[in-house]
Amino acid sequence: MAELYRRLDVAAGKVLLVTGGSRGIGAATARLAARHGWTVAVNYSAQSLAADEVVRAIRAGGGTAISVRADVADEAQVLRMFEHVDAKLGRLTGLVNNAGVVDRAQPLAEHSLARWRRMFDINVIGTLLCAREAVRRMSTAQGGAGGSIVNLSSAAARLGAPNEYVDYAAAKAAIDALTIGLAKEVGGQGIRVNAVRPGLIDTDIHASGGRPDRVRELQAGVPIGRGGTADEVAEAIVWLLSEQASYTTMSLMDVSGAR
Ligand code: NAP
């Protein structure tokens, strides 16, 4: 019976790739999307156990998921990842470009070129590569069935992240511009493209930038008085992916508690 459901999901065309789906916002999105009937490919770069746990949870809930390792900044790995998803799950109709990184909180005068390269390679080039591969599969002009792309931007794109990571803010502003341009470019090819701009969300990303308590330290400055959860961001992403958002494209949706 489980196999039957898997086939029906593929037949229904709800095949989703979530980059960085092993932890944080990506993991919450993968789990919620599966509950909404998506067959999900959970991408990760290093933490295979975390990715496997997301897949296990989805399968335990009756859904279908696979994990797939790829560094989104590496073109050859991205191409292999999409081919793997094609072969295992069928033609992609949803992409959440979620994989992203910050770095240590530092003023720009202390940044290195290596830091900037990593910041832009993962956050911008990774998003471009995955968007390109998704468009090649989804575009009705190329034999596809259409689809929906959701890019993870950040409130930093409009706040600028001074003294923390203006490079990250600049990379996320690039995601906003990409979302606007691509939405116009592929709007006539059955593909919607939107971005979600989370504010201060309680995930591992802050520890990875050397500030594990960042949400607790800054949450008093959020107008609604608290940080957000990965699940709260996932709700917006999964709605944007869905048919309920059929006339919503090119939107930059703030999920930030008014930050
Ligand atoms: P997180 O908890 O640090 O998780 C990051 C995820 O991205 C992990 O699954 C990680 O995989 C994956 N990843 C990192 N580098 C990768 C690469 N090169 N290739 C493939 N996967 C990679 O991050 P998060 O807080 O959930 O953030 C998710 C997205 O939301 C990011 O784009 C971030 O910029 C954005 N965002 C977050 C916040 C926030 O406050 N949390 C606010 C605004 C925007 P592994 O598990 O294998 O390491």
Side-chain angles (χ1 to χ4, degrees), residues 33-48:
R35 290 207 293 278
H36 284 254
W38 289 90
T39 293
V40 187
V42 177
N43 159 255
Y44 66 99
S45 63
Q47 300 209 19
S48 61

Side-chain angles (χ1 to χ4, degrees), residues 9-10 19 25 72 82 86-87 96 105-106 111 117 144 151-152 154 163-164 171 178 180 197 209 211 232 252:
D9 281 343
V10 174
T19 68
I25 294 167
V72 294
F82 276 82
D86 292 340
V96 179
Q106 289 176 323
H111 291 185
R117 292 256 189 257
N151 298 321
L152 266 292
S154 170
N163 296 307
E164 287 193 304
L178 161 67
I180 292 166
R197 299 197 292 197
R211 293 182 64 187
E232 289 175 307
L252 309 176

Side-chain angles (χ1 to χ4, degrees), residues 9-229:
D9 281 343
V10 174
K14 292 181 69 170
V15 176
L16 172 68
L17 170 63
V18 181
T19 68
S22 49
R23 292 184 290 121
I25 294 167
T29 300
R31 286 191 302 260
L32 183 64
R35 290 207 293 278
H36 284 254
W38 289 90
T39 293
V40 187
V42 177
N43 159 255
Y44 66 99
S45 63
Q47 300 209 19
S48 61
L49 291 180
D52 288 346
E53 174 52 30
V54 175
V55 168
R56 192 205 57 74
I58 289 173
R59 290 179 179 166
T64 304
I66 60 170
S67 63
V68 51
R69 201 193 82 74
D71 175 352
V72 294
D74 182 312
E75 183 176 24
Q77 291 185 34
V78 169
L79 294 181
R80 275 200 299 276
M81 170 171 69
F82 276 82
E83 284 164 9
H84 185 71
V85 174
D86 292 340
K88 293 285 179 192
L89 302 180
R91 193 186 283 273
L92 196 77
T93 52
L95 168 68
V96 179
N97 259 320
N98 166 80
V101 293
V102 295
D103 210 313
R104 298 195 74 75
Q106 289 176 323
L108 176 139
E110 294 172 18
H111 291 185
S112 66
L113 179 59
R115 169 187 167 125
W116 290 338
R117 292 256 189 257
R118 173 176 173 270
M119 189 71 79
F120 277 75
D121 277 355
I122 296 175
N123 293 341
V124 181
I125 300 293
T127 299
L128 286 165
L129 284 170
C130 292
R132 184 188 70 191
E133 293 311 306
V135 167
R136 286 175 174 170
R137 286 159 175 80
M138 294 173 181
S139 170
T140 53
Q142 299 188 45
S148 176
I149 298 174
V150 179
N151 298 321
L152 266 292
S153 174
S154 170
R158 55 183 167 72
L159 298 173
N163 296 307
E164 287 193 304
Y165 15 72
V166 294
D167 49 352
Y168 173 79
K172 291 301 186 180
I175 298 304
D176 288 358
L178 161 67
T179 300
I180 292 166
L182 188 60
K184 291 177 176 172
E185 195 170 295
V186 298
Q189 299 170 31
I191 307 173
R192 294 181 297 105
V193 186
N194 293 287
V196 168
R197 299 197 292 197
L200 203 55
I201 309 301
D202 194 7
T203 70
D204 297 346
I205 204 168
H206 310 288
S208 74
R211 293 182 64 187
D213 294 329
R214 184 167 177 268
V215 173
R216 202 158 39 82
E217 288 164 10
L218 298 181
Q219 65 185 359
V222 178
I224 73 167
R226 63 172 178 86
T229 67

